[in-house]
Amino acid sequence: MEKNRVLPPISMRGEILQPQDAGYEAACHIYNGMIDKRPAMLVRCADVADVIAAVNYAREEGMLLAIRGGGHSGAGLGMCNDGMVIDLSLMRGIHVDPEARTVLVEGGCTLGDVDHATHAFGLALPGGIISTTGVAGLTLGGGLGYLTRQYGLTIDSLLEADVVLANGHLVKASAQQNPDLFWALRGGGGNFGVVVSFLFRVHPVDNVVAGPMLWPMEDAPEILRWYSNFIKTAPETINGFFAFLMVPPAAPFPEHLHLQKMCGIVWCYTGPPSGAAAALQPARAFKTPALDMVGTLPMPALQSMFDGLYPPGLRWYWKADFVAEMPEEAIAEHVRFGNLLPTMHSSMHLYPINGAAARVGRHDTAWNFRDATWAMVIVGVDPDPRNDEKIMAWARAYWDALHPYAAGGAYVNFMMEEGDQRIRDTYGANYPRLAKVKAQYDPQNLFRVNQNIHPAEREHIFT
């Protein structure tokens, strides 16, 4: 779009912010403080009619269009320069049906919003470890979290979605209606339209036995070796992600561990409380943790446990891969770079995606790596822009060293803007079908500020 172009007004109920307006600067802030973008127009939609009006306007005016749900995109893909941002943050309605065990969630909701609503009924939605994460982006990318091994990815609990298409039409996507679109939404990102609401199946999870166990870095080779074997066959009521970390210098961590580099596993056990000790006994028996903070807590407390450590505005650089196996050579590289953690907030996580998530066929949804064991993410994180180069160099070097042992591709929600081939690698054999669905529902690629799937050359469903 040309700069300084005078745009006609939009008729809508929500707020429209432009660079000269009060509140514009604050509204442009996103979770990753390393990314700074300035749209010509930020449209805070109040309802579905506003979304339809905004999509039609962007298409007719030839504006670059970005969609922001919770604003957690590591690559900053909920924001754009000079174009329009459709901001769904005012659309946060939730309805729980405890008898049907479903929850209807509007596109601007965060994971914390959903946890608050569902926990009142002893129910939970699988996905996420930070409560400020947007449900829309989490879901459309696949959705990893503490319940993945027991209940699958977030998309495996998705029953239907209401979507505003590039032509401004509102459609429902489900197994019965627009099934090709429903298939593509489950892992294909924001390529196909603006999802204004999701209907999920939710699961009986109330209090859990959960929290981190930490070990000294010198124990990391043994712990990583043990963990990589244990998690492959552990009961599905046990989830645990492995991490390298620097202990925060604050309560509840004991002072003698402050700022020490350590390895850890953050556990979540959802079975009968009486079985928790036995379920986690193998970890404690293998090597006594230096710090054991596992205890009984409500599921929303676990989901928000790291919110204070990772507030919005920190500067993030992400590198990721899917991982099937953990050979000795890979363990050695992990330990080498774990010892080189550049800042307190920087980390590496291995999220298990076996168990229930692996029982879904790799072509049943757009998510391609159902046969991987983990989604690995390496994050260089710090509040200070003077440390950008340091955290980026560490993350890149770490990824370069581990990539030869990867399964290929990466979880799209853990990717920066890494180019077309990386996206194709991530979707693998599912990419051609995704490109065909894209051609059907967004032939002009209006929705391209994302991990973009290019529309195939073919007939599409509207002209």
Side-chain angles (χ1 to χ4, degrees):
M1 192 188 80
E2 310 136 20
K3 291 191 177 180
N4 302 318
R5 173 180 167 190
V6 177
L7 292 164
I10 309 177
S11 176
M12 58 184 296
R13 294 177 62 210
E15 184 180 23
I16 299 172
L17 294 173
Q18 295 183 277
Q20 68 273 17
D21 295 329
Y24 171 86
E25 285 296 322
C28 288
H29 292 169
I30 57 176
Y31 191 74
N32 187 353
M34 193 179 286
I35 297 171
D36 183 24
K37 296 180 180 179
R38 290 292 183 269
M41 181 183 295
L42 196 146
V43 180
R44 304 186 70 204
C45 296
D47 52 27
V48 175
D50 280 359
V51 175
I52 292 171
V55 168
N56 286 336
Y57 187 96
R59 185 189 66 251
E60 292 164 4
E61 295 295 326
M63 298 183 75
L64 183 66
L65 178 62
I67 313 301
R68 182 167 73 175
H72 258 246
S73 168
L77 296 173
M79 190 64 60
C80 65
N81 283 319
D82 300 324
M84 174 192 285
V85 171
I86 292 179
D87 183 340
L88 302 177
S89 61
L90 298 181
M91 297 176 60
R92 294 173 76 163
I94 297 176
H95 177 73
V96 180
D97 184 335
E99 292 188 8
R101 287 186 177 174
T102 61
V103 61
L104 182 66
V105 180
E106 285 195 312
C109 288
T110 66
L111 185 60
D113 295 331
V114 176
D115 288 338
H116 174 77
T118 57
H119 185 67
F121 302 97
L123 300 169
L125 175 67
I129 67 162
I130 301 285
S131 75
T132 55
T133 303
V135 172
L138 173 78
T139 303
L140 295 174
L144 296 172
Y146 291 110
L147 303 177
T148 299
R149 297 189 72 247
Q150 185 173 8
Y151 293 118
L153 306 173
T154 308
I155 54 174
D156 300 331
S157 292
L158 182 63
L159 299 173
E160 61 185 46
D162 286 343
V163 190
V164 177
L165 302 178
N167 64 352
H169 294 175
L170 176 69
V171 301
K172 190 175 296 295
S174 69
Q176 292 76 38
Q177 297 176 263
N178 299 296
D180 52 348
L181 177 61
F182 185 57
W183 175 86
L185 290 175
R186 288 176 292 163
N191 274 281
F192 307 98
V194 185
V195 182
V196 291
S197 67
F198 302 82
L199 181 67
F200 295 104
R201 179 186 304 108
V202 283
H203 305 275
V205 179
D206 191 357
N207 291 340
V208 294
V209 177
M213 293 182 187
L214 304 183
W215 291 267
M217 191 61 84
E218 56 263 30
D219 292 339
E222 293 176 84
I223 297 299
L224 187 50
R225 192 178 298 118
W226 172 84
Y227 164 80
S228 65
N229 290 320
F230 172 79
I231 204 66
K232 291 178 182 178
T233 59
E236 290 177 8
T237 51
I238 298 176
N239 197 93
F241 72 85
F242 180 92
F244 289 120
L245 70 153
M246 195 178 297
V247 178
F253 299 101
E255 191 172 343
H256 71 278
L257 294 181
H258 287 180
L259 298 179
Q260 282 196 30
K261 295 175 182 177
M262 304 187 79
C263 66
I265 302 170
V266 182
W267 298 107
C268 176
Y269 168 77
T270 55
S274 60
L280 295 171
Q281 189 271 344
R284 294 179 172 121
F286 178 74
K287 183 151 289 202
T288 302
L291 182 65
D292 187 337
M293 298 178 69
V294 176
T296 301
L297 68 166
M299 187 65 195
L302 175 63
Q303 295 272 38
S304 58
M305 181 177 286
F306 301 109
D307 287 9
L309 185 59
Y310 292 107
L314 295 178
R315 304 174 73 81
W316 292 73
Y317 185 78
W318 304 64
K319 295 291 288 185
D321 267 323
F322 287 115
V323 179
E325 298 294 338
M326 192 67 63
E328 284 297 318
E329 297 84 354
I331 289 174
E333 292 293 357
H334 273 298
V335 173
R336 179 163 74 95
F337 282 94
N339 276 291
L340 297 174
L341 284 169
T343 62
M344 186 192 76
H345 293 91
S346 297
S347 187
M348 187 285 301
H349 292 175
L350 288 165
Y351 293 97
I353 49 175
N354 57 351
R359 290 197 294 274
V360 178
R362 69 184 305 164
H363 305 305
D364 292 346
T365 66
W367 175 288
N368 179 50
F369 279 88
R370 295 285 184 168
D371 55 351
T373 309
W374 298 278
M376 177 187 75
V377 63
I378 300 162
V379 288
V381 191
D382 198 67
D384 191 340
R386 293 172 296 183
N387 288 327
D388 284 358
E389 288 303 319
K390 179 167 70 172
I391 63 176
M392 291 167 67
W394 171 80
R396 288 169 178 159
Y398 195 161
W399 185 86
D400 286 344
L402 268 297
H403 187 61
Y405 308 102
Y411 179 37
V412 292
N413 287 350
F414 289 161
M415 289 168 56
M416 304 296 282
E417 294 190 78
E418 300 175 27
D420 183 64
Q421 188 57 52
R422 185 76 166 137
I423 297 168
R424 291 172 182 268
D425 290 344
T426 290
Y427 291 113
N430 288 337
Y431 189 91
R433 182 178 175 186
L434 283 163
K436 290 178 181 179
V437 177
K438 178 74 169 178
Q440 285 183 309
Y441 292 93
D442 185 17
Q444 302 305 315
N445 205 8
L446 177 67
F447 302 111
R448 61 185 181 273
V449 183
N450 46 44
Q451 302 293 353
N452 194 229
I453 295 162
H454 299 286
E457 294 295 327
R458 57 162 289 174
E459 292 292 321
H460 46 80
I461 64 169
F462 63 86
T463 56

